Amino acid sequence: MVSETVSTKLSRLTEQAKEHPQRVFTMLHHLIDLELLEEAYRRLRKSAAAGVDGVTAQQYEADLEDNLIDLRRRVYDNHYRAQPVRRVWIEKEDGKQRGLGIPALEDKILQRAVAMVLGCIYEEMFYDFSYGFRPKRSAHQALDTLREQCFKIRVSSIIDADISSFFDDIDHAQLREFIERRVKDGVIKRLIGKWLKAGIMEGERIYYADNGTPQGGVISPLLANIYLHYVLDEWYEQEVKPHLKGRSFLIRYADDFVMGFEDEADVRRFYEVLPKRFARYGLTIHAQKTRLVSFKRPPRDHKTRGGLGTFDFLGMTHYWSRSQRGAWVVKRKTSAKKLRRTLKRHWQWCRSNRHMPVHEQHAKLAVKLRGHYGYFGLRGNYEMLGVVYRGVVRGWRYWLGRRTRQGYIPLAAFDLFLARYPLPKPRIMHPF
């Protein structure tokens, strides 16, 4: 639980930002005191991998108070030095790899503290249609709002946008200019500059990027939201929307966003100017992955789903379909790309862990399935949940069978096995 002192200070800052939306804050670093650093440390995930210095949370916590006092002193004396970010690579859905940055523990503590302070200011600025990495907001809220907006404005077209290498292409100078519109505290600006210029370590090699924020950095999501707030959100709300003939909407989750338009002439004009707007700030709209989709509600006498447009957003495919009462509604199902990735990942897990004790395999697979249902268990998506369940059962049976002398487990025998080690059945977790 947040201490009363920290909560009071942050609440007071939030109120100031709300009452004075044009105010530029010049004195904020005094809020980064021992109590705030302790709260920032408490919010970190202690099991996360260590950075380049190899220091773990357990080691740091052994002398936590003295370590935080020393960290605060170095920040105030300008002796703090950000350490290079350790980069690891993870596989993307398309088979390519994405770099993930792992900052040192002390850098993560300080980044969390600064993000807590800046979040009080920028949360009062961000628009309601921005959902990614914000308190009390979730991907499911974004999905529900998207569905509601498609009905509300009688959407005719959808822009399904993709920003190429967004986190790698953020312009440092432009980001600093955006931040200075609200924050001119020299200590805060200097800290952000150090994190942006800290360098990236791969193996024994360190290199320094002129652009971008490392994915995995604690403060990176907030910096990304600030950048896109000015590049996209504010531009759309203040300059684009007032000049449209029909109604429109924007739903953004971090760097993933979709836009809907009532008037077809509006969407064509906007589709042409969108890449130019992003190029002005060093960003690229992916030409192949960004699509203009016709998404009109079908007429009442439309007999089949044939010829109707679909688009993917946050792992779900959105499409028009008949409700049980016969009305046309927007439904969601797990996207084909996400489904393939999920099945492949579970199959590989069963293969890699086939020699693990059965009760441990059962416990971990149950957790994986519950996590999948927790996100993808939307109303209307039961069939896709069943595909994943059957895929997990099939993979588990196959790789457990490789442990036997026969090389396989008969179906009847595996049914008895599942009765003893039942896996969670598909379940709709978000019915409304």
Side-chain angles (χ1 to χ4, degrees), residues 197-413:
K197 299 295 185 182
I200 299 172
M201 175 174 283
E202 290 189 45
E204 300 297 324
R205 177 172 169 261
I206 299 179
Y207 65 93
Y208 300 89
D210 295 328
N211 296 324
T213 62
Q215 295 192 56
V218 175
I219 202 169
S220 292
L222 176 60
L223 297 181
N225 271 335
I226 293 173
Y227 204 81
L228 284 179
H229 169 80
Y230 288 107
V231 173
L232 176 63
D233 301 354
E234 188 176 77
W235 171 65
Y236 164 76
E237 190 69 23
Q238 297 186 9
E239 298 184 37
V240 173
K241 201 171 180 180
H243 294 92
L244 298 178
K245 295 181 180 178
R247 294 172 295 177
S248 66
F249 67 81
L250 165 64
I251 305 293
R252 182 171 70 81
Y253 192 92
D255 61 330
D256 194 4
F257 67 95
V258 293
M259 307 183 72
F261 294 83
E262 182 180 30
D263 186 84
E264 295 185 6
D266 286 339
V267 70
R268 286 194 297 269
R269 288 196 302 269
F270 186 82
Y271 193 67
E272 292 178 1
V273 75
L274 182 62
K276 300 175 184 177
R277 171 69 181 184
F278 275 69
R280 179 180 172 184
Y281 296 96
L283 302 176
T284 304
I285 295 294
H286 199 296
Q288 282 71 44
K289 294 183 179 180
T290 299
R291 300 190 306 138
L292 178 58
V293 181
S294 176
F295 203 68
K296 293 181 180 179
R297 182 187 301 188
R300 291 185 177 181
D301 57 353
H302 194 84
K303 300 299 182 183
T304 67
R305 282 207 61 254
L308 302 181
T310 68
F311 65 94
D312 293 347
F313 183 60
L314 298 181
M316 307 296 296
T317 295
H318 303 255
Y319 62 100
W320 288 103
S321 183
R322 296 279 190 183
S323 69
Q324 292 182 348
R325 296 182 179 180
W328 285 103
V329 296
V330 176
K331 292 187 177 182
R332 291 80 56 90
K333 65 180 181 179
T334 309
S335 68
K337 182 168 63 175
K338 185 66 71 173
L339 183 63
R340 287 193 300 270
R341 182 186 181 190
T342 300
L343 293 174
K344 178 182 178 182
R345 186 172 65 247
H346 285 142
W347 180 272
Q348 291 176 339
W349 188 91
C350 291
R351 177 184 181 182
S352 301
N353 296 275
R354 61 185 182 274
H355 297 301
M356 181 186 294
V358 169
H359 69 277
E360 294 184 16
Q361 291 189 43
H362 171 255
K364 291 185 179 296
L365 286 174
V367 169
K368 291 177 181 294
L369 280 173
R370 291 191 187 99
H372 183 83
Y373 302 156
Y375 183 83
F376 291 97
L378 274 66
R379 181 181 181 183
N381 196 36
Y382 187 85
E383 182 179 349
M384 294 296 102
L385 300 183
V387 172
V388 172
Y389 172 80
R390 291 189 294 273
V392 171
V393 170
R394 183 168 59 251
W396 201 22
R397 176 191 173 199
Y398 179 85
W399 289 110
L400 282 180
R402 297 296 293 268
R403 293 170 40 162
T404 66
R405 180 175 299 178
Q406 302 96 317
Y408 71 97
I409 300 177
L411 184 58

Side-chain angles (χ1 to χ4, degrees), residues 155-169:
V155 65
S156 67
S157 303
I158 292 285
I159 294 180
D160 178 13
D162 184 270
I163 308 174
S164 299
S165 304
F166 169 67
F167 284 90
D168 295 331
D169 289 343

